[in-house]
Amino acid sequence: MLRCGVDQIAEAAEAIKSGKLVAFPTETVYGLGADAFNPQAVAAIYAAKGRPGDNPLILHIADPADFNNLAENPPQYTKKLIEKFWPGALTLVVKKKPNLPAWLGGHPSGQTETIGIRIPANPIAQAIIKASGCVVAAPSANTAGRPSPTTAQHVLDDFASELGIAVIDGGSVNLGIESAVVDATGETPVILRPGQVTADMIQAATGINLTHQANQTHEKPRSPGMKYRHYAPKAPMTILKGTSENIAAYIKQDKNICILTINDSLPQIQNKINLGNNPEEIAQNLYAALRKCDKLGVTEIYAQAVAEEGLGIAIMDRMLKAAEGRMIHVGQ
Ligand code: TXA
Ligand code: MG
């Protein structure tokens, strides 16, 4: 693992240029990056993660001009979104230029018509992308199905045996939950994956109203990643919705059970991890807490539900996936 400095940025950029994989911090979660135009390198990302081949990768760029080299006739509203939210946690899915490789953005054995693009706001990520001169394909740097990594150690925990992967340590990420993925191929944009940039933020900054794509679990969701088991800790997890009193009364106290609390609102419970006192803190801590439960070896996890508004929508999306949809309304 390399603590990030100028030398490490140059080294990481060289590695990407020469077709290797590099894990680096973004403002949302750590990414596992490679030259998006190098089919062997991109195939190596899929192999290292154990990622299904039909799940495309986000292309990371450092210069907004690259968006215009990749996107075919992007709708007018993308201009506004880019102006207000890039660099940042907003991925725009657009039609790709016909002169680009048919597979670009996905697994080299397949074909894609659209590509997801974003400029990350993390200065280390930006410096690596710039120095490499590449468009950098980077999914979250976890093995498929695991919680996304918010520290370099999380990346090492998942890829300990992959000696070829350099990991750039930029400390804990700022945000903790991934970018919002927005379909920008139609007349109006649609949120395919809720994320750090919320529909409310977009509405307030641009006046654009976004809808959330309903029912992401059917066979062919427009953001293929949404149909897979995701973000999951090793122990089964259940979300509890209800008042603190009802949740406290429901929970059996046992050293093998861990409760993820909100606002430290369950003082009577002992085995717990407090996720935070507001949605920003909860987003920052959620994945680390799930990974901590794995380390503790607990056999059951319960998590207090958060209100589904603003960033809470993305948090509940991730929690529900980690819990494979299990949610119990207690005391109602
Ligand atoms: O914050 C983030 O977005 C992080 C950092 C590293 O940038 N990346 C990330 O990548 O979360 P990943 O691969 O774990 O998730 C990407 C999501 C998946 O749900 C994928 O299906 C969707 O974006 N996606 C990517 N390209 C797409 C496309 N062309 N059309 C629809 N969905 C796409
Ligand atoms: Mg991911």
Side-chain angles (χ1 to χ4, degrees), residues 36-47 51-57 96 101-113:
F37 281 80
N38 179 328
Q40 284 84 22
V42 171
I45 293 181
Y46 281 87
R51 184 182 180 97
D54 67 352
N55 192 4
L57 308 175
K96 73 178 182 191
W103 58 269
L104 186 80
H107 191 280
S109 64
Q111 289 194 8
T112 63
E113 274 160 29

Side-chain angles (χ1 to χ4, degrees), residues 13 61-63 125-134 136:
I61 57 176
D63 179 352
Q126 283 185 11
I128 292 173
I129 298 166
K130 265 191 204 141
S132 73
C134 295
V136 175

